[in-house]
Amino acid sequence: MTTQSAQAPPPERLQEDFDATIAHDQRIEPRDWMPDGYRGTLVRQIAQHAHSEIIGMQPEGEWIGRAPSLRRKAILLAKVQDEAGHGLYLYSAAETLGTDRAELTQRLIEGRQKYSSIFNYPTLTFADVGVIGWLVDGAAICNQVPLCRSSYGPYARAMVRICKEESFHQRQGYELLMTMMRGTDAQREMVQDAVDRWWWPSLMMFGPPDDASPNSARSMAWKIKRHSNDELRRRFVDMTVPQAEKLGVTLPDPELRRNEQSGRYDFGTPDWDELTRVIKGDGPCNAERMRRRRSAHEDGAWVREAATAHAAKQAARARKEAAA
Ligand code: BYC
């Protein structure tokens, strides 16, 4: 007689097990059963995150050849390489859900998947490198530290390593800006100008406001996301305002002030129409970023073909040796 446990459990039991795992704050792992919606949401978010890391190499990468000293060049090179690594960890996490990197890249290139709005703004001066480290990586840390507790194991574990590296990125940006602020008037103006341009786009990285965020409720119920977009945006402002004061720059928001009752900062409303436009492809650099991503993909075709041929050759040799 076949026992019940030797057979595939009934669907309602699978759902119950999944719900219990989430309720107990345990991790879902690749071989566990999961609802299609959960899998789809993860693929969407992880892929978008991976694409952001890879496209995010472009704005700062433009300054590697123009860095003002060998030290700055070495730091920037290391940072941009880290972003490539983050993309690869994330594509690997997505692979555990049954979608491979080639397929996800194809979806990006065909415009069927998104990447972060923040990378559609230009890097006009070297101060932008510092401000990206301070604000953009600072925002990334606020958003990603809670993702280390995301319910999907491979995503959460990838985040632990990524967050460690993001901390270095944020520190190097802040240190660069501190150095510039101790420099000439022209350097201080350059820093202020970069802060003015990147502040609002950095706030938009956290996504639309909660009442216009269609995915948040479900993602939070599944504990993929641990906090809402608005809560994370607020945490970022609370963290950043004292750093701006120490740096000696002004944040371009006349409504920004400390709320004595809550002990937190009140701030103005980002231009949500701008975020919508940038997400839809109409930001200052969307076309350029996608053009470069597509051409890098085409230029790399021979490497992928060579690696595949090499792997096939190795496998054939191993089979021959095993048979001998
Ligand atoms: N840009 O319902 P919502 C980095 C989309 S890399 C573009 O709130 P969700 C770094 C959203 O996808 C930083 N699209 O969505 C790298 C959704 O559209 P779909 C990347 C955005 O997923 C190099 C729609 O709007 N970080 O740090 O619940 C150098 C409605 O939104 C954006 C991550 O990817 C945006 N800003 O929440 C330096 C973190 N915001 O997909 C630094 C992981 C929203 O339904 N991702 N959309 O067509 C997340 O935490 C969440 O996906 C988000 C959005 C908070 C971004």
Side-chain angles (χ1 to χ4, degrees):
M1 194 181 97
T2 318
T3 61
Q4 180 69 25
S5 61
Q7 295 174 346
E12 60 279 10
R13 173 72 198 287
L14 292 170
Q15 180 72 52
E16 275 167 28
D17 286 350
F18 172 85
D19 292 343
T21 306
I22 299 286
H24 291 114
D25 255 337
Q26 288 165 341
R27 297 270 162 81
I28 303 293
E29 295 297 339
R31 288 190 188 152
D32 294 340
W33 181 88
M34 60 188 87
D36 290 344
Y38 179 83
R39 186 184 297 276
T41 297
L42 279 166
V43 170
R44 179 184 64 77
Q45 177 165 326
I46 298 174
Q48 172 180 307
H49 196 162
H51 300 327
S52 304
E53 300 282 357
I54 300 298
I55 295 208
M57 295 166 75
Q58 291 186 33
E60 289 177 283
E62 283 171 18
W63 281 94
I64 292 173
R66 293 180 286 165
S69 69
L70 183 59
R71 177 169 176 267
R72 292 291 170 202
K73 190 177 183 127
I75 295 171
L76 186 54
L77 201 56
K79 178 185 192 289
V80 173
Q81 281 178 338
D82 282 353
E83 310 300 357
H86 297 176
L88 298 185
Y89 307 152
L90 288 161
Y91 285 124
S92 301
E95 273 191 14
T96 67
L97 293 157
T99 35
D100 75 7
R101 181 173 147 200
E103 191 182 326
L104 295 177
T105 303
Q106 201 54 37
R107 287 191 211 167
L108 171 73
I109 280 171
E110 289 170 6
R112 290 188 287 132
Q113 274 181 344
K114 300 184 168 79
Y115 61 93
S116 180
S117 53
I118 192 72
F119 301 116
N120 293 307
Y121 293 86
T123 39
L124 304 181
T125 71
F126 198 68
D128 290 38
V129 169
V131 170
I132 289 179
W134 174 40
L135 296 181
V136 175
D137 287 278
I141 290 169
C142 277
N143 169 271
Q144 291 171 17
V145 166
L147 292 175
C148 297
R149 293 188 299 114
S150 179
S151 58
Y152 187 57
Y155 189 33
R157 288 189 288 274
M159 279 300 135
V160 172
R161 186 149 174 196
I162 291 177
C163 285
K164 283 187 187 156
E165 292 173 356
E166 298 292 20
S167 299
F168 150 64
H169 297 171
Q170 206 237 6
R171 296 295 303 186
Q172 67 79 37
Y174 197 68
E175 190 263 345
L176 165 57
L177 297 178
M178 271 290 186
T179 306
M180 291 185 80
M181 292 302 284
R182 283 195 295 265
T184 63
D185 283 347
Q187 284 175 306
R188 277 186 284 279
E189 275 165 30
M190 221 187 256
V191 173
Q192 184 60 59
D193 171 63
V195 170
D196 291 346
R197 285 182 287 107
W198 288 92
W199 174 249
W200 291 108
S202 299
L203 293 190
M204 292 175 198
M205 280 177 76
F206 294 92
D210 291 352
D211 56 11
S213 164
N215 300 300
S216 276
R218 214 157 64 135
S219 283
M220 285 172 64
W222 278 326
K223 297 184 182 169
I224 295 173
K225 277 167 79 162
R226 309 295 301 218
H227 306 284
S228 77
N229 298 356
D230 286 334
E231 170 54 20
L232 291 173
R233 192 168 8 250
R234 257 193 120 194
R235 286 184 185 194
F236 172 68
V237 174
D238 288 340
M239 178 183 94
T240 308
V241 174
Q243 295 171 353
E245 283 165 5
K246 206 164 168 46
L247 198 56
V249 294
T250 312
L251 297 172
D253 178 357
E255 292 176 51
L256 183 68
R257 65 181 55 87
R258 196 174 143 85
N259 181 321
E260 292 306 331
Q261 266 176 349
S262 65
R264 303 185 78 178
Y265 287 88
D266 293 335
F267 54 98
T269 308
D271 180 347
W272 298 125
D273 291 340
E274 177 179 325
L275 177 64
T276 306
R277 276 197 310 276
V278 175
I279 292 179
K280 285 196 174 145
D282 194 18
C285 301
N286 294 62
E288 168 67 5
R289 300 290 184 245
M290 284 308 292
R291 189 191 62 70
R292 280 189 65 185
R293 183 67 196 88
R294 282 193 194 103
S295 77
H297 187 63
E298 284 159 19
D299 292 347
W302 71 270
V303 180
R304 293 190 294 278
E305 280 162 24
T308 309
H310 180 69
K313 210 160 114 184
Q314 297 279 83
R317 189 176 296 157
R319 275 197 304 274
K320 207 167 150 191
E321 279 169 12

